[in-house]
Amino acid sequence: MTRVAVLRDASQAFATSMFATMQAVAPPLGVEVIPVNMRNAAEIEQSLESFARVANGGLIPASSAAAVRHRDLIIGLAARHKLPAVYWDRFFVVAGSLMSYGPDLVEQFRQAALYVDRILKGEKAADLQVQASTCPRSI
């Protein structure tokens, strides 16, 4: 894979910063990062069909409400055009995609509840150790 389309909602600051980070780390890997805006279903379909005409491409949808709203379309287009894709959350896998790589949100909420429990039992929040994530969940 020498090219990756980053499907993003350019109106969201998070998507813009995520894309900038990808652009910064891609050159040493020999990968060209191409922004693909997703304002609506027609734009997604047209952009991905155009991107898929050139070989050796992959797809990374950035986390956004638009990606969730158009999940089935994105998964279907990736499959139709044989674009390897990686998603940020397991619900894309449940909907039919191949793989996700990201945090286990259920585990994060469980850990947060344990901290709340300890605080409610009298421990001071400032005395609780900060825990780093051990690894993201991939499926």
Side-chain angles (χ1 to χ4, degrees):
M1 186 174 69
T2 58
R3 305 164 46 249
V4 65
V6 177
L7 196 55
R8 67 189 184 148
D9 180 349
S11 69
Q12 291 188 341
F14 174 75
T16 303
S17 67
M18 183 179 177
F19 180 75
T21 301
M22 288 182 194
Q23 275 189 308
V25 300
L29 301 172
V31 176
E32 178 186 10
V33 180
I34 300 163
V36 175
N37 293 324
M38 59 174 162
R39 288 182 283 264
N40 57 53
E43 182 177 42
I44 294 168
E45 190 159 2
Q46 180 182 14
S47 296
L48 288 183
E49 285 182 9
S50 176
F51 175 80
R53 288 186 190 120
V54 179
N56 300 324
L59 175 64
I60 300 174
S63 175
S64 71
V68 173
R69 186 172 47 256
H70 299 295
R71 172 184 62 207
D72 294 334
L73 173 64
I74 295 167
I75 292 169
L77 289 169
R80 181 180 337 145
H81 296 295
K82 297 180 171 68
L83 292 172
V86 62
Y87 302 87
W88 77 91
D89 196 277
R90 183 178 189 279
F91 62 75
F92 283 91
V93 175
V94 172
S97 72
L98 178 63
M99 182 178 107
S100 69
Y101 185 80
D104 183 341
L105 297 178
V106 173
E107 178 61 19
Q108 287 181 347
F109 286 120
R110 190 182 76 73
Q111 289 295 327
L114 292 174
Y115 273 83
V116 169
D117 180 59
R118 290 171 64 184
I119 291 167
L120 291 176
K121 288 180 178 173
E123 289 188 56
K124 294 182 181 178
D127 294 338
L128 298 176
Q129 291 183 351
V130 175
Q131 293 183 0
S133 176
T134 55
C135 67
R137 177 183 180 159
S138 72
I139 294 181

